[in-house]
Each structure stands twice: as structure tokens, then as C-alpha cells.
Amino acid sequence: MKILVPVKRVIDFNVKVRVKADNSGIDLQNVKMSMNPFDEIAVEEAIRIKEKGAADEIIIVSIGPGPAQETIRTALAMGGDRGILVKTEVEIEPLAAAKILKIIIDEESPDLVIMGKQAIDDDCNQTGQMLAEFLGWPQGTFASEITLEDASITVTREVDGGLETIRLKRPCVLTTDLRLNEPRYASLPNIMKAKQKEIVERAVEDFDVDVTPRLKTLRVEEPPKREAGIKVDSVAELISKLKEEGVI
Ligand code: AMP
């Protein structure tokens, strides 16, 4: 079985982002970038399936600028087998990402696609769902547990009301939720080994996909600063303050 894992390069989740002075977007100068955390979970899950002997190849795909190579390399150091980088300087929106991924999946014919439920830069939560639609494959989104059977897969999904368990036929698209697993750190020997693994670079122009952004960012603002709280001496005072504020 072949597993394909799309990974996106995003601002590291530990970085406190700065808004550009002209409010036109986020300042990306000298900011640490990393693999989208949900995609790390997807890579980890693919590796666990391979370690159980149920898969023989894991292909890592990223669509983004040249340095997205490093993101692919990290996934290869964790345990991916080979990578494909679709190079573009355009900020790729979910619709374009799903269309490009569909073309690669048609070429590679994986049995399973595991990807993040959302990228933490745009918080779109759209690419997996659109990709499944383009492929005509079943989708198991927000997976917190995955069990492989012969020709199917059982997925426990984190939904608003609790957990939902569904069975899907393969091939299918799965998207990962936070509790699916805890991704491993790549060991130093594996980081060294990953340097030898193949990453094929392709230009976005080779795909017949219009990647022009359809959304225009009008303005980006920092959230308002939290004001300091106050201490009250009694429950009666608390209730009177809440009434003053119009909360109750
Ligand atoms: P989104 O719909 O943007 O929240 O992204 C959901 C998931 O789609 C991510 O966790 C990735 O697995 C995948 N994805 C989105 N954009 C890209 C990209 N440019 N390159 C590779 N994978 C992507």
C-alpha cells in the first residue's frame, strides 16, 4: 500500500506573529517556519501504518516556495520515503492545493491520503474535503483513531457531539485531529539518512491549474490587548460588578 501525505510549510506555532505596519498582512521576515502541526500528525500516522507492515511507501508532497523543501526533508527524516515539491511563490489557497494534489494523486495512485484537518496559517479546513470530492473518494475528517482492515478503514471522528465511528472503503482521504497520535522527533541518524532521499521538484506552471488567489486580504489587525483584571473582596461585590458591566 502507498500512502500520500501533503504537508504545508507554515509559521511555527510557537511564534508570536507580528502584523505589518501597513496592516496589509503578517510580517514573514526572519520568522521561523515549520511543518503544519496537523501534517506532522499525518506523517506520524502514515509511518505507524508502515511500521505495522501495512504500507510500503510514504510519499510526501508540498506546494509552496523553495524552502518548503526543508519541510519535506523533515517529513522524510521522520520516516517518509520520497518527496515531491510543487514550487510556487504564489500563496496557494485550498481550492488550488486540492486541484494540484488531485493531479499528483492521479499520477501516483496511492491507496490512502492522510493530511491535516487544517493549516494553522489560514485555518481553512477545506483542502481535504475538496480533494476527496475531486477524486470521488470517501473522506474521514477529524480522525482521532484509525484502524485498517483488508479493503476498508475504520475512522473515529471528533465531532461536536462526541465521537463518531465510520467505515470507509479505500482509497480514501483522511484528515487528522490533534488526538490521533503524538508525532516523533526525527533522530540525528534519520536526519542524515533523509539527506539522501529523493525530492522531485516541479513547477506549478506544469499543472494546468489556475492558482491565482480568489480572496483579497483587505486588512489584518492584532486582537485588542487584554485589559488588566480587578480583584473583588466578596461574592456580593462580584455580583454588583457583573451587574455594572451588564454581564448579568
Ligand atoms: P487547509 O484547508 O488550508 O486548512 O489545509 C488542510 C490541509 O491541506 C493541510 O493540513 C495540509 O495537509 C494540506 N495542504 C494545504 N495546503 C497545502 C500546501 N500548500 N501544500 C501541501 N499540503 C497542503
Side-chain angles (χ1 to χ4, degrees):
M1 184 167 83
K2 234 188 204 187
I3 307 178
L4 188 137
V5 185
V7 299
K8 188 175 187 189
R9 179 175 182 266
V10 297
I11 297 184
D12 188 271
F13 72 97
N14 275 313
V15 169
K16 189 177 178 313
V17 292
R18 288 182 314 267
V19 172
K20 283 187 193 163
D22 62 359
N23 293 96
S24 63
I26 299 294
D27 191 356
L28 292 177
Q29 291 288 319
N30 302 322
V31 170
K32 183 178 178 215
M33 307 290 284
S34 300
M35 192 190 313
N36 181 43
F38 290 106
D39 303 351
E40 280 185 349
I41 296 173
V43 174
E44 175 66 35
E45 198 61 24
I47 298 167
R48 290 187 189 188
I49 293 172
K50 191 178 167 195
E51 283 172 346
K52 281 188 202 140
D56 34 46
E57 192 178 30
I58 301 170
I59 307 160
I60 309 293
V61 181
S62 194
I63 310 159
Q69 272 248 6
E70 294 158 22
T71 313
I72 297 179
R73 202 63 77 189
T74 306
L76 298 181
M78 286 171 73
D81 292 296
R82 64 184 165 92
I84 301 170
L85 170 63
V86 180
K87 232 173 145 180
T88 173
E89 292 303 321
V90 177
E91 207 172 302
I92 294 291
E93 290 177 354
L95 181 64
K99 286 180 178 173
I100 294 170
L101 290 170
K102 147 96 169 102
I103 295 171
I104 295 176
I105 289 162
D106 283 345
E107 291 170 4
E108 293 286 348
S109 311
D111 306 275
L112 184 59
V113 175
I114 313 180
M115 55 205 291
K117 74 166 179 179
Q118 76 194 63
I120 62 164
D121 53 358
D122 57 22
D123 273 345
C124 276
N125 175 10
Q126 295 170 356
T127 311
Q129 292 87 333
M130 290 199 276
L131 175 62
E133 169 63 24
F134 288 145
L135 290 163
W137 289 5
Q139 55 182 289
T141 50
F142 318 129
S144 63
E145 203 182 331
I146 291 172
T147 314
L148 254 86
E149 285 108 34
D150 280 348
S152 62
I153 245 178
T154 300
V155 178
T156 302
R157 307 180 57 229
E158 297 202 354
V159 292
D160 278 351
L163 297 176
E164 179 188 58
T165 304
I166 55 172
R167 178 168 296 134
L168 315 172
K169 282 198 180 129
R170 295 203 303 263
C172 58
V173 175
L174 306 181
T175 75
T176 61
D177 216 319
L178 216 53
R179 279 154 287 272
L180 181 59
N181 62 49
E182 219 173 283
R184 69 195 64 192
Y185 289 106
S187 66
L188 193 57
N190 285 346
I191 293 173
M192 300 311 287
K193 266 193 234 157
K195 290 186 198 289
Q196 310 305 322
K197 293 185 181 174
E198 176 196 52
I199 300 180
V200 172
E201 258 191 42
R202 298 174 64 175
V204 80
E205 294 75 25
D206 293 348
F207 297 79
D208 189 17
V209 173
D210 179 7
V211 295
T212 318
R214 289 160 193 239
L215 298 177
K216 187 169 174 221
T217 303
L218 299 180
R219 189 175 167 80
V220 178
E221 283 176 37
E222 297 232 7
K225 293 244 176 325
R226 255 183 97 172
E227 288 177 21
I230 55 160
K231 278 191 181 164
V232 289
D233 291 324
S234 65
V235 173
E237 197 188 342
L238 171 66
I239 290 173
S240 107
K241 288 274 179 220
L242 290 174
K243 280 187 179 157
E244 263 173 45
E245 296 292 328
V247 181
I248 54 171

